[in-house]
């Protein structure tokens, strides 16, 4: 076997998968048929879960110049009446990061790719195309053609098809996408404001719920701004995307001298999901497995969650720590999450895309009433679900995302908790719990096992120099409060930060731990 893993395609999802494979020590080949990143931004927003993942691979500082917290979104009627607000949650942030960000995709993708160089066991081949994948001798055999036109066959334990919405591997295998029934034509225009221009533009993101032409305005980092316009039935996409037509559409907000058009593309916003996310040793991730209308800014986020949810499982299976059955949980967990998120994105789309004046007026009244009954506005992150099935226990808080508090350790080092524990299995123990009996038993249980659990013991005061190294004091009380609200004193957390389960007593925690080990072995 040449590699543990071959990753096909290095869009944001493949590049993230390559970084995570590096983090988990998998010998990996990542191939991309083009020579450089796609220079036109598509995704513009991502959320705190993705930012946490970027930070886990050491990328947060490098991408900071191209990323900015997401502003609130206001939904306006034709008469500019505010009918819905989506706000970002206020600090302190539950996952350690602002709930949502805007970003410029090409420079962030460049940093994602550059970061792979920090993992010596990950090889990247640009200008190399995968032509076919076949199973032979219990391995995946991948036929590639490099930039010089030379062909070779490379073998791997697993292949990740991160080859985008048109996925040639999916097509080769004739795998079916289920249509979740959304299909609307939109024009997307990115502009760079000229120095000093744009002072009268809205300071929030705006959904213009106007029956004549629904449209969206997004404030990007620096001078980057985006408009998205629904294309009317009597319009021709190639015509509306022409510069003079774009200038005409933008004239409501900007003078022609205020901006340069970065790019303009027309899309049909679809909702699709792959029926089978795995074919023998091939797994599908990102747009190759699902596509969602962009109204929740979740398409790329979902692909990055795919990588976060799969790579640690592949690493445990490849090293013999977990049974191959663990890999079946990939689709169980991810498909349910994608379906639910796509459902919400579609609901948003249907609100925004309403063209019937009578129905639009009804919509406006109902949204207005709802907004008035929730004065703080909807919090965007409350719309994203946790895990409902797969490798999780059966009671709350199983499947929730584990918070990430700011902590201080016994040496006085401050940081987000992940920077101390990494992407590990964790046993987190609250302040008001005598941990010794539990830890003794766990130690005995894991003796001789390759499976590693990081222990995190929360302390009421900052631990002293002589305290055990697993003791941390949290600075904002986020985690203690979270555990208190869920009535648990011990939490088992998976490497991708989803909670396996919670417990209140030593006995319950030991039983939970046994269920976790059994799930990994089955
Ligand atoms: C208008 C618009 C707005 C969006 N906004 C958002 C947003 O705000 N937030 C968000 O999260 N998502 C958003 N999305 C979705 C997001 O852009 C995509 O989900 C994401 O870019 C998909 O990434 P990917 O890596 O799966 O696929 P891609 O980026 O398509 O990458 C696939 C890669 O595979 C390569 N490849 C293909 N075949 C082969 C082969 N045989 N051999 C080698 N290489 C191959 C391709 O060259 C390509 O580089 C938006 C999408 C659109 C269109």
């Amino acid at each position: 076997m040449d590699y543990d893993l071959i990753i096909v395609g290095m869009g944001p999802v493949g590049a993230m998968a390559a970084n995570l494979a590096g983090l988990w020590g998998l010998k990996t080949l990542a191939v991309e048929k083009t020579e450089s990143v796609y220079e036109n931004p598509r995704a513009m927003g991502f959320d705190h879960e993705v930012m946490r993942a970027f930070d886990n691979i050491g990328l947060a500082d490098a991408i900071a110049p191209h990323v900015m917290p997401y502003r609130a979104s206001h939904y306006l009627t034709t008469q500019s009446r505010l009918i819905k607000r989506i706000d970002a949650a206020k600090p302190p942030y539950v996952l350690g990061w602002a709930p949502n960000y805007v970003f410029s995709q090409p420079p962030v993708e460049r940093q994602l790719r550059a970061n792979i160089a920090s993992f010596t066991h990950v090889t990247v081949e640009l200008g190399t195309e995968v032509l076919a994948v076949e199973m032979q001798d219990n391995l995946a055999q991948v036929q590639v053609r490099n930039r010089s036109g030379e062909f070779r066959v490379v073998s791997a334990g697993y292949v990740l098809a991160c080859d985008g919405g048109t996925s040639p591997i999916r097509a080769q295998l004739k795998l079916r996408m289920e249509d979740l029934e959304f299909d609307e034509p939109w024009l997307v225009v990115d502009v760079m404001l000229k120095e000093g221009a744009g002072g009268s533009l809205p300071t929030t993101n705006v959904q213009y719920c106007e029956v004549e032409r629904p449209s969206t305005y997004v404030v990007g980092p620096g001078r980057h701004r985006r408009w998205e316009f629904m294309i009317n039935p009597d319009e021709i996409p190639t015509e509306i995307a022409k510069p003079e037509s774009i200038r005409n559409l933008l004239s409501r907000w900007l003078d022609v001298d205020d901006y340069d058009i970065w790019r303009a593309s027309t899309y049909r916003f679809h909702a699709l999901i792959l029926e089978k996310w795995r074919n023998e040793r091939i797994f599908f991730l990102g747009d190759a497995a699902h596509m969602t209308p962009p109204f929740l800014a979740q398409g790329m986020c979902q692909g990055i969650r795919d990588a976060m949810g799969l790579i640690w499982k592949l690493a445990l299976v490849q090293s013999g720590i977990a049974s191959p059955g663990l890999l079946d949980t990939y689709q169980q967990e991810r498909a349910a999450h994608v379906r639910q998120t796509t459902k919400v994105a579609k609901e948003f789309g249907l609100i925004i895309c309403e063209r019937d004046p009578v129905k639009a007026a009804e919509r406006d009244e109902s949204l207005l009433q709802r907004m008035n009954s929730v004065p703080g506005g909807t919090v965007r992150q409350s719309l994203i679900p946790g895990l409902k099935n797969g490798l999780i226990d059966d009671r709350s808080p199983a499947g929730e995302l584990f918070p990430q508090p700011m902590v201080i350790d016994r040496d006085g080092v401050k940081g987000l908790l992940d920077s101390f524990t990494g992407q590990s299995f964790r046993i987190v123990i609250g302040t008001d719990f005598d941990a010794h009996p539990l830890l003794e038993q766990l130690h005995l249980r894991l003796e001789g096992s390759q499976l590693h659990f990081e222990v995190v013991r929360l302390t009421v005061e900052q631990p002293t120099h002589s305290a055990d190294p697993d003791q941390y004091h949290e600075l904002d009380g986020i985690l203690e409060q979270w555990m208190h609200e869920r009535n648990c004193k011990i939490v088992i957390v998976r490497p991708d930060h989803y909670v396996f389960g919670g417990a209140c007593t030593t006995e319950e925690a030991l039983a939970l731990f046994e269920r976790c080990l059994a799930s990994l072995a089955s």
Side-chain angles (χ1 to χ4, degrees), residues 279-325:
N279 192 287
E280 299 187 62
R281 292 180 167 270
I282 307 170
F283 291 87
F284 291 84
L285 291 83
D287 278 15
H290 43 76
M291 270 171 277
T292 175
F295 304 111
L296 265 189
Q298 280 291 316
M300 180 194 77
C301 296
Q302 290 293 16
I304 286 177
R305 278 192 197 98
D306 296 343
M308 280 286 284
L310 179 60
I311 299 287
W312 66 271
K313 291 177 184 168
L314 284 171
L316 291 194
V317 169
Q318 195 74 345
S319 57
I321 295 175
S323 134

Side-chain angles (χ1 to χ4, degrees), residues 8-14 31-34 42-46 103 105 109 113 128-131 162-165 168 188 226 228 263 267 269 285-288 294 297-302:
V8 186
M10 286 184 63
V13 176
V31 296
E32 164 57 50
K33 68 180 178 185
T34 61
R42 287 167 293 162
M44 199 164 171
F46 63 74
F103 74 118
Q105 189 173 358
E109 276 198 46
R113 284 196 188 177
T128 298
E129 185 173 2
V130 166
L131 302 176
C162 305
D163 49 354
V188 179
R226 171 174 289 183
E228 297 175 358
R263 69 84 188 235
Y267 293 94
F269 290 164
L285 291 83
D287 278 15
Q298 280 291 316
M300 180 194 77
C301 296
Q302 290 293 16

Side-chain angles (χ1 to χ4, degrees), residues 439-454:
L439 292 180
E440 259 175 38
Q441 299 259 23
L442 293 181
H443 187 70
L444 283 175
R445 181 67 178 81
L446 283 173
E447 222 166 33
S449 161
Q450 277 182 280
L451 186 58
H452 176 69
F453 278 77
E454 285 283 330

Side-chain angles (χ1 to χ4, degrees), residues 32 71 108 116 172 200 209 288 318 330 335 343 471:
E32 164 57 50
R71 300 195 181 173
V108 167
I116 300 170
Q172 184 202 338
S200 58
C209 302
Q318 195 74 345
Y330 170 60
K343 181 169 168 267
Q471 298 199 347

